């Protein structure tokens, strides 16, 4: 399962994505947490020290090698340098597994943070980026990773996304089986939900609202009125979370029982999402759709290549394609 956490800046999406990733790993699932936020705080939220978190390799700094690896023996891509963030997988491409298997994403660029749990990071702005680059140059590596990832039962990728609706600048918002939108019971907090819902309309994006910083029934009523439905679950005031925000990440079994139940509710919602051949077909179709859109808008000019030629109409994504992974 590929899971995204989105929401307004300061809504608590990094905190909840870290708790959710740790909860899944504690159940025996294999989990890769991905920090794709411009503010790189997921590592610390997962329990790494600040120096350890800062030392996690930045995917955005390894794009050339990432592209060369993912291209594999794909005959439609003559030069890996011509791959862009939306490039879909095809026959001959190297596909990725949550459990790794020697690929550089998991072997070289991820770090273990707990049993069954590893961390990848898109990376912060470098000094040379300031004033000349947008953050999409970093999250592009995450989109390529997701486009080439095959997840099976009991495997999860949990992505802490940039705040607001920034992921709509590419097809990244369609790369997930379920998106949790973390909403505070405020006008601004629920405004992101309305924006996200409107932008995602028509793309079959599964969206579930998780209330955060909810103090009582009035807050729940406010969320219900603003989002037009009951939130999936609500996270309230937490001594455990406050301790974590002060740098003391305690064992997960010390989390308040009502908040452990929120995590279980979220996990059940993820497990209930379908993952059949038609879902993989839609995943690939959307990858192709946004790749062609990006090609026409800017990427053909930027690369000097007709990037539509990179689309393999015969490729069928999903677990059955793993046998075709290049050695």
């Amino acid at each position: 399962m590929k899971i995204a956490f989105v929401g307004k800046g300061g809504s608590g999406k990094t905190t909840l994505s870290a708790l959710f990733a740790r909860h899944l790993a504690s159940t025996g699932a294999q989990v890769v947490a991905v920090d794709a936020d411009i503010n790189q705080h997921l590592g610390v939220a997962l329990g790494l020290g600040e120096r350890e978190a800062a030392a996690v390799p930045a995917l955005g700094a390894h794009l050339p090698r990432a592209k060369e690896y993912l291209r594999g023996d794909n005959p439609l891509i003559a030069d890996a340098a011509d791959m862009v963030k939306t490039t879909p997988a095809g026959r001959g491409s190297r596909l990725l597994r949550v459990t790794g298997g020697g690929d550089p994403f998991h072997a070289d660029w991820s770090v273990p943070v707990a049993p069954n749990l590893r961390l990848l990071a898109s990376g912060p702005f470098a000094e040379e980026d300031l004033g000349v680059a947008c953050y999409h140059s970093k999250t592009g590596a995450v989109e390529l990773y997701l486009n080439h990832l095959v997840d099976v039962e009991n495997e999860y990728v949990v992505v802490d996304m940039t705040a607001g609706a920034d992921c709509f600048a590419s097809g990244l918002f369609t790369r997930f089986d379920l998106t949790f939108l973390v909403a505070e019971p405020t006008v601004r907090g629920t405004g992101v939900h309305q924006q996200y819902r409107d932008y995602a309309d028509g793309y079959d994006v599964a969206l579930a609202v998780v209330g955060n910083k909810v103090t009582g029934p009035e807050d729940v009523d406010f969320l219900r009125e603003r989002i037009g439905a009951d939130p999936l679950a609500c996270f309230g005031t937490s001594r455990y979370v406050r301790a974590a925000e002060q740098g003391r990440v305690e064992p997960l079994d010390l989390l308040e029982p009502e908040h452990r139940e929120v995590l279980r509710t979220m996990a059940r919602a993820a497990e209930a999402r379908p993952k059949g051949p038609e879902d993989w077909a839609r995943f690939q179709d959307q990858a192709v759709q946004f790749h062609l859109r990006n090609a026409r808008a800017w990427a053909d000019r930027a690369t000097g290549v007709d990037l539509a030629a990179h689309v393999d109409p015969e490729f069928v994504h999903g677990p059955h394609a793993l046998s075709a992974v290049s050695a």
Side-chain angles (χ1 to χ4, degrees), residues 289-314:
Q289 175 184 353
F290 281 95
H291 180 65
L292 295 177
R293 184 178 297 183
N294 276 263
R296 291 190 297 266
W298 64 271
D300 281 355
R301 293 194 305 274
T303 62
V305 173
D306 177 11
L307 295 180
H310 288 181
V311 174
D312 183 351
E314 302 300 322

Side-chain angles (χ1 to χ4, degrees), residues 25 50 92 164 174 207 212 238 242 265 270 302:
E50 292 187 24
T174 67
L207 184 65
N212 193 30
S238 169
R242 177 53 59 90
T265 298

Side-chain angles (χ1 to χ4, degrees), residues 54-59 62 108-111 120-123:
V56 175
L59 285 180
H62 295 282
D108 300 336
W109 305 327
S110 75
V111 298
L120 282 167
S122 57

Side-chain angles (χ1 to χ4, degrees), residues 57-141:
L59 285 180
H62 295 282
L63 264 176
R65 184 181 171 199
K67 291 178 179 181
E68 189 62 51
Y69 180 84
L70 294 174
R71 182 178 72 95
D73 297 322
N74 188 330
L76 301 181
I77 303 175
D79 189 342
D82 296 331
M83 295 174 66
V84 295
K85 61 185 179 181
T86 54
T87 300
R91 287 170 297 175
S93 298
R94 286 191 173 99
L95 303 180
L96 305 169
R97 286 287 305 277
V98 168
T99 50
D103 67 84
F105 288 87
H106 301 101
D108 300 336
W109 305 327
S110 75
V111 298
V113 295
N116 306 330
L117 176 58
R118 302 187 70 84
L119 172 67
L120 282 167
S122 57
F125 270 125
E127 184 175 352
E128 60 267 23
D129 298 323
L130 298 178
V132 298
C134 70
Y135 197 63
H136 303 138
S137 62
K138 311 298 181 184
T139 57

Side-chain angles (χ1 to χ4, degrees), residues 22-34:
R22 292 175 64 204
H23 169 75
L24 292 173
S26 74
T27 68
Q30 297 294 321
V31 184
V32 174
V34 182

Side-chain angles (χ1 to χ4, degrees), residues 231-257:
L232 174 69
C234 289
F235 210 91
T237 302
S238 169
R239 180 213 59 82
Y240 181 97
V241 168
R242 177 53 59 90
E245 290 174 342
Q246 294 173 348
R248 304 188 307 277
V249 178
E250 300 171 338
L252 195 58
D253 58 10
L254 296 180
L255 180 65
E256 297 86 1

Side-chain angles (χ1 to χ4, degrees), residues 6-7 85 136 139 143 161-174 179 181 192-203 205 207 290 293-294:
V6 301
K85 61 185 179 181
H136 303 138
T139 57
E143 189 164 356
M161 301 280 281
T162 53
D166 188 68
C167 63
F168 287 96
S170 71
L172 188 55
F173 72 100
T174 67
T179 295
L181 189 143
V192 171
H193 167 264
Q194 295 166 10
Q195 185 182 34
Y196 207 101
R197 180 193 60 201
D198 292 345
Y199 285 165
D201 185 43
Y203 292 101
V205 171
L207 184 65
F290 281 95
R293 184 178 297 183
N294 276 263

